[in-house]
Amino acid sequence: MSDYKIETKCVQAGYTPGNGEPRQVPIIQSTTFKYETSEAMGKLFDLEASGYFYTRLQNPTNDHVAAKIAELEGGTAGILTSSGQAANFFSIFNICENGGHLVSSSEIYGGTFNLISVTMAKMGIEATFVSPDCTPEELEAAFRPNTKLVFGETIANPALSVLDIEKFAEAAHAHGVPLIVDNTFPTPVNCRPIEWGADIVTHSTTKYMDGHGAGVGGAIVDSGRFDWMAHADKFPGLCTPDDSYHGITYAEKFGMGGAFITKCTAQLMRDFGSIQSPQNAFLLNLGLESLHVRMPRHVENGQAAAEFLAAHPKVRRVIYSGLPGDRYYEIAQKYLPDGGCGVCSFELEGGRDAAQKFMKKLRLIAIETHVADARSCCLNPATSTHRQMTDEQLAAAGIPAGLVRLSCGLENKEDLIADLEQALA
Ligand SMILES: *Cc1c(COP(=O)(O)O)cnc(C)c1O
């Protein structure tokens, strides 16, 4: 499907039924698969043949949907995970182990910040956080001899900064390591980080891809462009034999296009088991079929809400990269020419208390720990998703305590603005 446009891929990529087969992606609700001989099954375990034996590692429904997401991002291989958290963990841990170090943008999702700065630190992985606005010199200074990767979010949740993907990719490649970009907010409809130099792309499919608040999930896509063998000393997990898998050397056997995702499946899925259920993969695919139709409406509503809020006297500031004058307006024009997403943030005059009072008055827009689904919702990160962070960490992440994150759904924009207006009044 790679010659087709993104709209066509959203609808049809990843699954091509044969004669008389189901038109819709079938849900293969089976933990296991039957074989005629143990030799045939042995070949699967040895990765000598491709096929299915146990759904903790691979399932056909998931593989169809992962293949669609890989096509949308312009990658060579993909995998679904049980959540966005699992996707980011796997994408990092697949190449950065005990004794390794990574460079990350400081403006990332709170859960990912916690994963990297607390949980992965306990696994012996160190991280240096840099502002997404850092100079090339500051970025350069963050690297160490044991740096294995660079990480950032295309549009940070909830800071809404836009990553200069080319700047981060150039720095990563100058040090012989890949750039991993979490592309959850724009989705491949609005930005494809691989086209700008990213090597691995991750998603919380829980957000716009599912789009209906129906299923938690994640995805990882490999661009197939990073030459692991050219930096074999840095990536022994990919470039030397895996004793836990019959001495397979992933980068040799599966090449640049397949090594990363195969190792992710054979090692990390096998051992951590964070697989997405086939049922959820099916729901995710329904969301993907309309992603290209929904994203422009999310952007339209986000833009309208941001413009209304920016003109309101009770609003101190609005963060939305589609607003001229926003810190990221120019950079968004480059990476997000069709708009970013439906999420904007704003700070009310009166800080934390005013924010909470305003949110109580909303009728249509609900208070939820969620973004990016069909129904509009909002939250105050400092008292919810980011409550584990200190005020200093909040400031570094670009999230003042009185910030409200507003996710514009697919409703009529005049109704949304009327709700904001009456709550502000
Ligand atoms: C929500 C989110 C995550 C975590 O995803 P889950 O599906 O909730 O585990 C990671 N990154 C970004 C940018 C997110 O918005």
Side-chain angles (χ1 to χ4, degrees):
M1 299 260 353
S2 52
D3 293 341
Y4 288 100
K5 301 212 164 33
I6 192 108
E7 294 83 355
T8 307
K9 290 181 185 173
C10 279
V11 181
Q12 294 218 18
Y15 174 64
T16 310
N19 189 40
E21 287 178 358
R23 184 70 186 101
Q24 179 57 284
V25 173
I27 306 171
I28 306 297
Q29 194 70 49
S30 182
T31 57
T32 191
F33 300 81
K34 186 206 127 168
Y35 286 91
E36 302 290 339
T37 66
S38 45
E39 287 81 7
M41 193 189 278
K43 285 209 168 73
L44 301 177
F45 275 93
D46 285 351
L47 303 178
E48 288 298 333
S50 66
Y52 299 92
F53 53 95
Y54 192 52
T55 288
R56 168 152 45 78
L57 284 93
Q58 272 186 297
N59 174 284
T61 309
N62 292 28
D63 281 359
H64 290 309
V65 181
K68 174 180 281 189
I69 296 174
E71 285 228 33
L72 291 173
E73 289 288 3
T76 53
I79 185 173
L80 298 189
T81 57
S82 55
S83 66
Q85 285 299 111
N88 282 327
F89 173 58
F90 279 25
S91 71
I92 295 170
F93 196 63
N94 207 29
I95 49 176
C96 185
E97 299 180 355
N98 187 354
H101 169 261
L102 65 100
V103 176
S104 173
S105 165
S106 58
E107 298 196 359
I108 53 174
Y109 178 67
T112 312
F113 181 81
N114 207 60
L115 168 70
I116 294 174
S117 65
V118 179
T119 302
M120 297 196 84
K122 289 181 192 161
M123 305 170 99
I125 294 163
E126 291 184 311
T128 302
F129 292 94
V130 295
S131 162
D133 307 333
C134 64
T135 63
E137 295 70 34
E138 286 165 338
L139 188 49
E140 177 65 31
F143 284 84
R144 300 185 192 166
N146 59 338
T147 302
K148 306 291 181 183
L149 63 98
V150 178
F151 184 91
E153 290 177 11
T154 317
I155 302 178
N157 176 11
L160 302 180
S161 46
V162 181
L163 194 74
D164 186 343
I165 301 171
E166 284 187 324
K167 175 177 79 181
F168 279 76
E170 274 164 28
H173 297 160
H175 287 270
V177 301
L179 171 64
I180 302 178
V181 173
D182 179 332
N183 194 36
T184 296
F185 267 19
T187 82
V189 170
N190 284 339
C191 181
R192 289 174 296 282
I194 290 171
E195 292 174 4
W196 300 101
D199 302 284
I200 311 287
V201 174
T202 61
H203 281 279
S204 166
T205 62
T206 316
K207 313 295 166 51
Y208 289 115
M209 283 190 167
D210 171 295
H212 301 79
V216 172
I220 308 171
V221 172
D222 180 14
S223 69
R225 290 209 201 137
F226 194 83
D227 191 350
W228 307 106
M229 276 301 193
H231 309 282
D233 54 319
K234 282 192 198 297
F235 304 105
L238 281 159
C239 303
T240 58
D242 177 1
D243 292 334
S244 81
Y245 234 116
H246 325 293
I248 280 173
T249 301
Y250 296 101
E252 256 170 20
K253 192 160 172 68
F254 299 100
M256 283 164 61
F260 189 87
I261 295 295
T262 305
K263 175 174 181 287
C264 218
T265 305
Q267 250 181 20
L268 302 188
M269 266 311 170
R270 180 195 62 189
D271 295 352
F272 291 104
S274 311
I275 194 83
Q276 190 167 133
S277 78
Q279 187 78 227
N280 275 9
F282 175 84
L283 291 171
L284 168 59
N285 188 53
L286 288 185
L288 292 170
E289 287 182 5
S290 65
L291 186 65
H292 60 296
V293 182
R294 293 184 288 108
M295 286 313 289
R297 175 60 78 87
H298 282 294
V299 168
E300 184 187 330
N301 286 357
Q303 183 77 28
E307 284 171 11
F308 166 77
L309 290 164
H312 199 284
K314 288 187 182 167
V315 176
R316 186 178 294 167
R317 66 171 180 141
V318 179
I319 307 169
Y320 189 71
S321 63
L323 282 183
D326 184 86
R327 223 164 106 222
Y328 295 97
Y329 180 75
E330 270 80 35
I331 195 167
Q333 294 296 107
K334 172 176 171 181
Y335 292 105
L336 305 160
D338 298 326
C341 62
V343 184
C344 67
S345 295
F346 59 98
E347 213 182 334
L348 291 174
E349 297 292 352
R352 192 187 289 241
D353 292 346
Q356 294 194 328
K357 201 169 151 205
F358 159 79
M359 284 166 57
K360 256 187 230 150
K361 295 283 181 192
L362 291 165
R363 292 173 190 154
L364 193 57
I365 300 165
I367 301 174
E368 281 174 43
T369 309
H370 195 42
V371 283
D373 88 72
R375 289 156 292 258
S376 293
C377 58
C378 70
L379 72 74
N380 177 227
T383 53
S384 53
T385 47
H386 289 64
R387 54 187 303 140
Q388 79 280 6
M389 289 168 77
T390 64
D391 277 5
E392 291 73 51
Q393 286 173 331
L394 283 172
I399 312 158
L403 197 80
V404 177
R405 182 184 67 186
L406 170 65
S407 171
C408 296
L410 299 174
E411 302 93 341
N412 180 289
K413 65 186 170 195
E414 286 164 23
D415 288 341
L416 292 181
I417 287 170
D419 196 29
L420 294 171
E421 193 161 32
Q422 64 80 24
L424 283 165

